[in-house]
Amino acid sequence: MKVVVIGAGLGGLALAQRLVGADVDVRVYERDSAIEARFQGYRIGLGGPGLTALAGALQPRLHPLLDAVSGLVESPGRAVDSQLTVLGEQDAVNDEGRMFDRNVLRHLLIAGLGERLRFDMKLDRYEELADGAVRAHFADGTTVDADVLVGADGMGSTVRRQLLPQIEIHDLPVYGAIGRTELAGFEHVIPGWSTVVSAKDVQLMLGRMKFQRSPVQAAAELAPDVTLPDTPSYIRWVLLLPGTPKTLDLDPVLDLIEDWHPDLRALIARADVNNSGVSPIKEGDPIEPWPTRAVTLLGDAGHPAPPGGLGANLAMVDAELLADKLIAVRDGRVEKIRALAGYEQAMCENAKTGRESAAQAFKNFAKLRAEA
Ligand SMILES: Cc1cc2nc3c(=O)[nH]c(=O)nc-3n(C[C@H](O)[C@H](O)[C@H](O)COP(=O)(O)OP(=O)(O)OC[C@H]3O[C@@H](n4cnc5c(N)ncnc54)[C@H](O)[C@@H]3O)c2cc1C
């Protein structure tokens, strides 16, 4: 059985790792030209089943490295006003969870995939063949046939748009400026895993990505065959604003914090400009099981949700569920369409949890805004 995965994001790579580990023939096709082709380095919080599923996808020899490059969920989470006056503190609810840099995680998840992962391969469309197989058509004119095609191609998924054209993506009534700034010099602003700055028209969410060990040094010692990016500990920040962006330019947004505490302004001003920008925040229609075929969806492609929810956690769980089903098909224990239908049922159930979590996060911010 041959599996083709479209998209080398966290979900697609985790699936590929599991299938390689079980000796299933799998190929991953990614549209970007390289793993570092564009900004990929925001902080991801994983906990509970998502964290367990991530560890299960990685080769056990890489577990010490995974732990070394994670960040701890340390108390206190803090709420402050725009002058850095502390409004409240909260202990971490899940201090068993871990923080990861998405770029570092992707580097870990490509380890050992070798020629099975190909870049510069943008899927244009797929074609269902008479014998139940699927043909992937790429932008460069090449095609690849598979027994199962997995769309792990993110929120804007090309696979989902063909498979489920009725699912639409729409802007939420908030938008964000997102960036990151080196942690050094700003630890006092964010003593724990997160600080939220609440003001009347804008909320600033700061997330601390403090690597327990430098990724480069940890890889050199614990798994010298793995190359990790040279990323210093940083603060991922999101300025959340009501409405939809009139421009994707950062300057008008920064004018809104002109009278804020100088340390907060400095934090934003010192952001890595290449990794900062304004973007709408989007969400997809809810997803329900559909008539199963040899094409399926995983991660944000299947349940497009805004940032700040459980997207990466769910992608890890999807990868585990789907890998188990595909291995059972390969072993002849279950028929392909039946196996995929079972996966899609579970994936759609989990997607509901993701939507609820994202909705709750946005309700919390609306409440903070109202209180400010
Ligand atoms: C700022 C921010 C913070 C976040 N924080 C968290 C968090 O704390 N916890 C959490 O659980 N989630 C978080 N998320 C969400 C999480 O990042 C996503 O849910 C997760 O990365 C989805 O993984 P994925 O593999 O499904 O898709 P993606 O990571 O989007 O990967 C999709 C891949 O498919 C490729 N692709 C797209 N189209 C094609 C095509 N046509 N052909 C070939 N390749 C294609 C893309 O280039 C990309 O590499 C956050 C998101 C953001 C933006």
Side-chain angles (χ1 to χ4, degrees), residues 5-15 102 150-157 159-160 164 167 169 284-287 290 296-306 310-323 343-344 346-352 354-355:
V5 179
I6 305 299
L10 297 177
L13 292 174
L15 175 67
R102 180 171 177 272
V150 181
D153 47 347
M155 179 175 271
S157 173
V159 178
R160 187 195 60 246
L164 303 172
I167 300 287
I169 306 290
D285 288 334
I287 194 148
W290 59 91
T296 194
L297 300 169
L298 180 152
D300 278 5
H303 31 82
L310 292 175
N313 283 272
L314 293 179
M316 292 299 109
V317 172
D318 287 354
E320 180 174 19
L321 286 169
L322 182 54
Y343 159 70
E344 286 160 7
M347 189 264 271
C348 290
E349 267 311 303
N350 291 341
K352 283 186 196 150
R355 285 184 76 80

Side-chain angles (χ1 to χ4, degrees), residues 92-330:
V93 180
N94 179 9
D95 55 12
E96 310 268 281
R98 289 283 185 275
M99 297 300 174
F100 295 96
D101 174 70
R102 180 171 177 272
N103 189 27
V104 167
L105 266 192
R106 282 180 89 219
H107 278 76
L108 273 171
L109 283 166
I110 63 171
L113 292 185
E115 296 291 307
R116 298 179 189 94
L117 168 60
R118 289 202 42 204
F119 291 98
D120 261 332
M121 294 293 286
K122 178 176 178 293
L123 181 89
D124 267 352
R125 65 185 176 90
Y126 65 80
E127 176 189 354
E128 291 174 81
L129 305 177
D131 62 358
V134 190
R135 179 163 297 157
H137 290 259
F138 294 95
D140 65 359
T142 58
T143 61
V144 176
D145 290 357
D147 295 297
V148 176
L149 180 112
V150 181
D153 47 347
M155 179 175 271
S157 173
T158 302
V159 178
R160 187 195 60 246
R161 275 188 272 126
Q162 184 174 345
L163 182 67
L164 303 172
Q166 71 277 19
I167 300 287
E168 289 188 1
I169 306 290
H170 36 86
D171 289 351
L172 287 174
V174 282
Y175 69 101
I178 299 178
R180 76 173 190 195
T181 305
E182 245 185 82
L183 177 63
F186 293 105
E187 297 217 35
H188 63 291
V189 177
I190 180 161
W193 87 98
S194 145
T195 292
V196 178
V197 188
S198 293
K200 189 163 173 293
D201 297 317
V202 47
Q203 269 79 52
L204 173 65
M205 292 174 283
L206 305 175
R208 192 176 71 175
M209 180 62 245
K210 187 174 181 179
F211 298 105
Q212 293 187 77
R213 293 193 54 196
S214 135
V216 170
Q217 284 171 11
E221 189 184 310
L222 298 168
D225 59 312
V226 175
T227 306
L228 294 186
D230 188 9
T231 308
S233 293
Y234 63 87
I235 298 172
R236 186 273 293 130
W237 52 262
V238 182
L239 268 167
L240 203 62
L241 300 134
T244 46
K246 289 175 192 62
T247 158
L248 297 188
D249 188 8
L250 201 54
D251 289 341
V253 172
L254 298 185
D255 287 347
L256 293 171
I257 63 167
E258 225 172 25
D259 58 350
W260 284 26
H261 192 286
D263 290 354
L264 287 171
R265 282 189 284 124
L267 191 156
I268 305 298
R270 276 195 226 153
D272 173 358
V273 279
N274 296 324
N275 292 329
S276 307
V278 175
S279 66
I281 295 182
K282 295 173 184 288
E283 176 178 61
D285 288 334
I287 194 148
E288 298 289 343
W290 59 91
T292 299
R293 37 224 324 148
V295 178
T296 194
L297 300 169
L298 180 152
D300 278 5
H303 31 82
L310 292 175
N313 283 272
L314 293 179
M316 292 299 109
V317 172
D318 287 354
E320 180 174 19
L321 286 169
L322 182 54
D324 286 350
K325 297 287 185 191
L326 292 173
I327 293 163
V329 175
R330 191 274 316 266

